[in-house]
Amino acid sequence: MTITAHSQLPNLFSQNRNSINHQTDYMLPTLGAELVYTQDGSGRYLNFYWQHSEILGLNPEQIVDEFNEEANFVPVDNVAYLERLHRILTNLVPEKLQCWFSYGQELFELELVITPIMPQLGKAATTVLVMGRLLQAKVNINKVDVIAKTPTQIELAVRSQQHQKLVNRITKNIRRNLDIDIIWQQTVDSLGKVLRLERCIICPYQPSSQKVRVIAEYHQPECKSLLGSDIDLAAEPAFAQAVDTLEPIVVQAPSSSLCPNQKILVVATSYQDQANGLVALNLRDECYPLTDAEIELAKEVADQLGTAIAHATLYKELEVARQKAEDASRLKSEFLANVSHEIRTPLNGMIGFLKLILEGMADDPEEQNQFLLEAHQLSIHLLNIINDILDIAKIEAGKMELDCTPVQLAELFNDVESFMRPQAEMRNLSFQMQMPPTSDEIIVQGNYQRLLQVMLNLVGNAIKFTQEGGITISADIVIKKAKFQEQQYPGMVKVRVADTGIGVSLDKQDKLFQLFSQVDGSRTRQYGGTGLGLAISQKLVEAMGGEVNFYSLGEGLGSTVTFTVPLYQQPVIVTCGDDCLGK
């Protein structure tokens, strides 16, 4: 409000109440607020203006007149409201609040700012100016009951003691346990039962996600469970506000999926000023206001719970890390045992055959040549094992360097077939190789020796773990632009190695590409090998710009391993029948 030089200041400070009322009545609408009124310390209305009076069925003159005779437009919690008025008049400090008012059969939730009207020097303040706005209005079906539920000072004291005991119980339970799931459930159960809530939920919060999931819940039998449901923070402003401010938020949620048309209290749990969870409580009596002390207790519970969540989470992470370290140590021990066995076996064989020759145990030159051939094959096998170990050491040290050049896919497939077909036929397995139907050569970008190593490894595993049926090696062209090491390629070639072997159960497939990890130690002892093949193949393929994937529907259902490699140039695809398939 602006006072000009022509304003009659003495009239504003007139001691005649009728003069004050007359002067103020026409000034209230000019303040720009939706709702404006003045009161004295007893709650007596001196003036009253509401922009929406007619729509809401209020008569301002009757409110001022009738209030002097009997309570008509009054706060539901009148005791707390009058205490606040007294505090404002004493401290001369304005306050902002949300408060429910009752008028006839209507309930109004108002957002108010109460400001003391400064008295003359040396006199006490006796009047306040209240400005506000309507948040919502409801029909007061149980008016008598609502008014009767306004808590007395004794009731507030009992509630305070009850809530403090609840905080102590929750704190005690938290300190006794480091299992985060138990902490969450005990907390919602304690809050729900003691406060007789319709519902209480807890959701862990991660700053990287805009959704939270209900992982613990207490609810009345007539309420539908929300356990496991995802809550979008964008659709629940109270949740987002609680996370941002770390302050308890009490809101009416007319369209909320959590507590429709009911008031909820949302508190963010935090640790070191970082939100790590959300607690939402459905307040059963929407007009039963929470005191400042109860809001502070809610914050205290949230702080205790936030610290407990952080400690329990850290404990869980340490347990997982410890378990991983123990598993890694065990796996390395098993790996070293397997590798030492794999090295000793061919070495002992070589020593044995050479000793037979040196001691003249060969019956004739042909048998002697056979002994030498066996020793040579064992030495090649030993060299392959040592190469695998050296390869993985280079990969782990980041010193694996590959010189990638154009490679003809047909040449690669032919070499794989010449090496592996005899092994498959020795085990009475079918062996098929299928090339994509093209009118020109398929050329990929990669390192020929390493691609050959990968294919021999994958096909060798397929033969090793297949007792009957066969192995099929095929390739497909995926025309989709790819970029690797700042170079563009027209597509990728996907090579597929499928077998009808022993397969791998779904829960063990994630171990296949882990270093020093083998799906089943008993299988390793049965079939041999170091368990490094797939891990090495994956690293080599990734170094050439591709990726390796493993598929199996379960044990006894066979396996398929695929890997991709960049296509150097796009071939011309032709349409043909089965006679275009490979060998």
Side-chain angles (χ1 to χ4, degrees):
M1 179 178 67
T2 302
I3 302 177
T4 66
H6 299 289
S7 299
Q8 299 179 8
L9 296 179
N11 290 341
L12 294 177
F13 295 92
S14 172
Q15 298 302 310
N16 186 305
R17 184 170 301 280
N18 291 330
S19 176
I20 292 177
N21 293 347
H22 177 74
Q23 295 274 347
T24 309
D25 281 343
Y26 73 84
M27 293 174 60
L28 294 185
T30 67
L31 296 178
E34 175 186 316
L35 169 67
V36 187
Y37 60 84
T38 58
Q39 284 180 305
D40 61 18
S42 65
R44 176 189 179 93
Y45 288 96
L46 305 178
N47 304 90
F48 190 94
Y49 166 78
W50 199 346
Q51 180 180 347
H52 305 303
S53 295
E54 294 184 4
I55 298 176
L56 298 172
L58 282 84
N59 188 325
E61 294 181 358
Q62 289 181 359
I63 290 176
V64 174
D65 294 339
E66 292 179 10
F67 187 83
N68 297 330
E69 304 296 331
E70 59 176 327
N72 196 355
F73 185 79
V74 293
V76 172
D77 190 353
N78 198 36
V79 174
Y81 182 84
L82 292 177
E83 288 178 354
R84 190 182 292 266
L85 284 187
H86 182 266
R87 181 170 67 244
I88 293 172
L89 290 172
T90 302
N91 300 333
L92 297 180
V93 177
E95 293 189 16
K96 180 180 178 180
L97 71 151
Q98 288 182 215
C99 184
W100 282 88
F101 277 69
S102 172
Y103 180 76
Q105 297 297 318
E106 300 288 334
L107 290 173
F108 303 99
E109 186 180 22
L110 305 176
E111 184 177 32
L112 305 174
V113 176
I114 305 178
T115 306
I117 297 178
M118 299 299 289
Q120 295 181 4
L121 191 64
K123 294 187 177 181
T126 60
T127 311
V128 295
L129 172 67
V130 184
M131 293 186 288
R133 59 184 177 183
L134 175 67
L135 297 180
Q136 62 175 318
K138 289 193 170 188
V139 176
N140 185 5
I141 300 175
N142 302 309
K143 177 186 172 186
V144 177
D145 293 338
V146 172
I147 300 299
K149 288 180 181 178
T150 301
T152 64
Q153 292 298 320
I154 295 177
E155 289 174 335
L156 289 174
V158 171
R159 279 169 56 182
S160 177
Q161 292 179 359
Q162 182 187 44
H163 295 165
Q164 189 60 56
K165 288 181 180 179
L166 175 60
V167 173
N168 294 337
R169 179 191 304 174
I170 292 174
T171 303
K172 189 175 181 180
N173 290 337
I174 286 173
R175 291 175 178 172
R176 285 179 173 178
N177 210 311
L178 282 174
D179 189 321
I180 189 66
D181 296 324
I182 295 177
I183 290 174
W184 280 327
Q185 193 58 50
Q186 285 183 344
T187 300
V188 294
D189 287 343
S190 298
L191 290 170
K193 292 175 182 176
V194 174
L195 301 180
R196 294 174 296 177
L197 301 174
E198 292 283 346
R199 186 192 308 277
C200 179
I201 61 174
I202 289 182
C203 311
Y205 170 75
Q206 294 291 339
S208 58
S209 175
Q210 289 301 310
K211 291 186 177 182
V212 293
R213 174 163 293 183
V214 180
I215 48 83
E217 178 188 32
Y218 170 89
H219 65 88
Q220 295 297 331
E222 64 272 13
C223 298
K224 182 181 178 181
S225 175
L226 297 175
L227 193 63
S229 301
D230 289 331
I231 300 173
D232 189 349
L233 296 183
E236 299 290 344
F239 283 67
Q241 186 178 353
V243 168
D244 292 338
T245 63
L246 298 182
E247 294 289 336
I249 306 296
V250 181
V251 294
Q252 188 75 19
S255 60
S256 172
S257 60
L258 305 177
C259 309
N261 299 316
Q262 295 177 352
K263 185 168 287 188
I264 60 174
L265 168 65
V266 183
V267 190
T269 64
S270 64
Y271 179 69
Q272 296 181 347
D273 294 330
Q274 294 293 324
N276 58 10
L278 284 161
V279 184
L281 296 79
N282 177 195
L283 305 179
R284 297 188 69 143
D285 189 349
E286 60 193 4
C287 297
Y288 202 57
L290 294 174
T291 65
D292 292 341
E294 289 169 336
I295 294 293
E296 286 301 315
L297 280 178
K299 291 179 64 176
E300 183 179 343
V301 171
D303 290 342
Q304 293 277 357
L305 187 57
T307 302
I309 290 173
H311 290 172
T313 302
L314 178 60
Y315 174 78
K316 193 172 184 178
E317 290 174 351
L318 290 175
E319 279 293 300
V320 171
R322 181 184 65 80
Q323 186 62 45
K324 285 184 176 180
E326 291 179 355
D327 290 344
S329 177
R330 176 180 56 80
L331 290 172
K332 286 187 177 181
S333 297
E334 292 180 1
F335 168 77
L336 290 175
N338 291 333
V339 168
S340 62
H341 171 74
E342 289 294 318
I343 292 175
R344 279 198 308 267
T345 299
L347 191 57
N348 287 334
M350 290 165 56
I351 293 172
F353 283 118
L354 293 175
K355 186 176 181 181
L356 289 175
I357 295 173
L358 290 174
E359 292 179 353
M361 299 299 292
D363 294 336
D364 49 51
E366 183 179 352
E367 188 174 32
Q368 180 174 318
N369 288 336
Q370 183 64 33
F371 289 166
L372 289 172
L373 181 61
E374 293 288 347
H376 178 262
Q377 291 177 344
L378 289 170
S379 68
I380 296 298
H381 179 61
L382 179 59
L383 179 62
N384 289 335
I385 294 173
I386 294 174
N387 283 337
D388 280 351
I389 297 172
L390 293 177
D391 282 344
I392 207 65
K394 286 182 181 180
I395 291 171
E396 287 295 287
K399 295 182 178 181
M400 176 66 73
E401 296 182 0
L402 298 180
D403 182 18
C404 295
T405 60
V407 175
Q408 291 186 8
L409 188 64
E411 181 183 353
L412 182 65
F413 269 42
N414 288 335
D415 287 347
V416 171
E417 183 175 16
S418 63
F419 280 117
M420 307 309 297
R421 181 178 288 278
Q423 295 186 31
E425 291 176 348
M426 287 177 60
R427 296 171 62 91
N428 294 321
L429 300 174
S430 65
F431 190 88
Q432 297 182 7
M433 301 196 71
Q434 301 173 355
M435 288 281 289
T438 60
S439 61
D440 53 355
E441 294 180 341
I442 300 174
I443 301 177
V444 298
Q445 180 76 1
N447 183 284
Y448 180 83
Q449 292 299 328
R450 293 304 184 180
L451 286 174
L452 181 61
Q453 179 183 348
V454 169
M455 289 199 66
L456 291 178
N457 194 311
L458 299 182
V459 177
N461 280 346
I463 293 174
K464 181 196 301 184
F465 294 109
T466 301
Q467 302 298 325
E468 58 182 13
I471 291 87
T472 301
I473 305 161
S474 61
D476 296 316
I477 297 176
V478 181
I479 303 300
K480 183 178 181 182
K481 288 186 178 181
K483 187 176 182 180
F484 178 65
Q485 294 181 347
E486 303 302 323
Q487 187 171 348
Q488 292 281 352
Y489 296 98
M492 304 291 286
V493 172
K494 177 182 284 189
V495 178
R496 182 180 293 102
V497 179
D499 64 62
T500 58
I502 60 176
V504 177
S505 62
L506 297 177
D507 60 326
K508 295 180 179 179
Q509 292 180 17
D510 58 336
K511 297 181 179 180
L512 285 169
F513 296 100
Q514 296 178 10
L515 290 177
F516 312 116
S517 177
Q518 295 166 324
V519 172
D520 191 337
S522 62
R523 287 187 178 179
T524 300
R525 290 187 291 272
Q526 179 181 354
Y527 294 100
T530 62
L532 293 175
L534 276 179
I536 293 174
S537 297
Q538 183 186 47
K539 299 294 184 182
L540 291 176
V541 169
E542 288 176 351
M544 290 182 282
E547 62 180 18
V548 180
N549 290 290
F550 179 90
Y551 307 94
S552 178
L553 295 178
E555 293 189 5
L557 299 176
S559 304
T560 298
V561 183
T562 66
F563 73 89
T564 57
V565 61
L567 185 63
Y568 180 73
Q569 64 182 22
Q570 182 173 338
V572 177
I573 307 296
V574 299
T575 304
C576 60
D578 295 338
D579 56 337
C580 287
L581 297 178
K583 302 174 184 178

